[in-house]
Structure formats: C-alpha cells, structure tokens
Amino acid sequence: MANNLMLENFFISLDKWGLTDVMLPFLLVFTIVFAVLEKTKVLGVDKKNFNVVVALVLAFSVVIPHLTGTYPISYDPVDIINGALPSVSILVVAIMMLMILIGVFAHDQVFLGLTMPGWIGFFSILAIIFIFGHLLAGGVTM
C-alpha cells in the first residue's frame, strides 16, 4: 500500500512539474518533425543539425503559446494532443494485437482486393480521423 502511494505521488509530482503540458507534447512534436525531416531529406542530405534546429523551433512553437495562453480556446494543439493520445494509444494497442492474430492465422487472406493488413490500415486511418475530428468539432475540454 505504501509503495503504491509513493508511485502515485511521483506521477502527481511529474504532472505538477509540467510533464503532460510541456515535456510530452514537446518531445512528441520534436520527434515526429525530426523523423520526417530525416526521412524526406527536405533540407538536404546529411543536414542533421538543420533538422534538429527546425524540429526544436516547431516543438517550441507548439508548447510556448500553450504555456502563455495565447491559443484560442479549444484550438490549443497541446490540449488536442493530450485529448487524443489516450484514444490513439488504445487504438494502436488494439491494432497491434489484431496484426499479431492476423500474422498467426490469416496473413494471406484477401477480401475485395485487399489483404487483411491492408484493411486494418484503412480502418485505422478512419479511426484516427474520427478521433481527431471529434476532438476538433466538439472543442477540446481539458
């Protein structure tokens, strides 16, 4: 019981320090932007230093206005990210479990011209569009 309470207090302290409002959105935006820039080589081949700077600027430009409160209500990207991540995480876990089952039992089955992993990809995209669309249409309440 006491160990459980200590772990709970640790995560409460992390949240008070800004883990969910600053660090996680910053790291997520930085990582995605940096990975896309590295993969596409938009700024040139072997330009990792430029990719880092651009990713840092974009990540800071998402987090700093959230902290200063300059985003319009219900259009704050950090609130949208924090609102969507739990649903997207559950969806990713469900997709991974389904992909494991398909890999074991039905990886070569074709239905209407698409393989089963193709259908899963299609419905995954629809589900993610629904999750983010629902958050944007109804306004983010945090």
Side-chain angles (χ1 to χ4, degrees):
M1 179 72 178
N3 288 338
N4 222 3
L5 194 57
M6 288 174 43
L7 187 60
E8 183 179 324
N9 288 337
F10 173 70
F11 282 106
I12 290 171
S13 296
L14 286 178
D15 187 47
K16 286 180 184 175
W17 291 342
L19 182 72
T20 56
D21 278 348
V22 179
M23 285 303 297
L24 293 180
F26 175 83
L27 288 173
L28 183 65
V29 171
F30 174 81
T31 303
I32 291 172
V33 171
F34 180 74
V36 168
L37 289 173
E38 282 287 305
K39 184 73 175 172
T40 60
K41 300 185 184 343
V42 172
L43 300 177
V45 179
D46 295 328
K47 299 292 183 179
K48 186 179 257 188
N49 51 351
F50 293 136
N51 293 340
V52 168
V53 170
V54 170
L56 278 171
V57 168
L58 288 176
F60 277 127
S61 68
V62 168
V63 172
I64 289 174
H66 168 76
L67 295 173
T68 59
T70 56
Y71 282 123
I73 296 174
S74 79
Y75 290 104
D76 188 345
V78 173
D79 290 340
I80 293 169
I81 289 169
N82 287 338
L85 274 181
S87 300
V88 172
S89 299
I90 291 171
L91 181 66
V92 167
V93 169
I95 290 168
M96 293 302 292
M97 295 169 98
L98 192 57
M99 294 296 278
I100 290 170
L101 289 173
I102 286 173
V104 171
F105 297 113
H107 61 85
D108 55 355
Q109 300 297 319
V110 176
F111 181 69
L112 295 176
L114 275 177
T115 61
M116 289 304 285
W119 281 106
I120 291 172
F122 174 72
F123 284 116
S124 301
I125 291 170
L126 289 179
I128 289 173
I129 290 171
F130 173 77
I131 289 168
F132 280 96
H134 177 69
L135 283 171
L136 290 173
V140 179
T141 55
M142 303 273 335

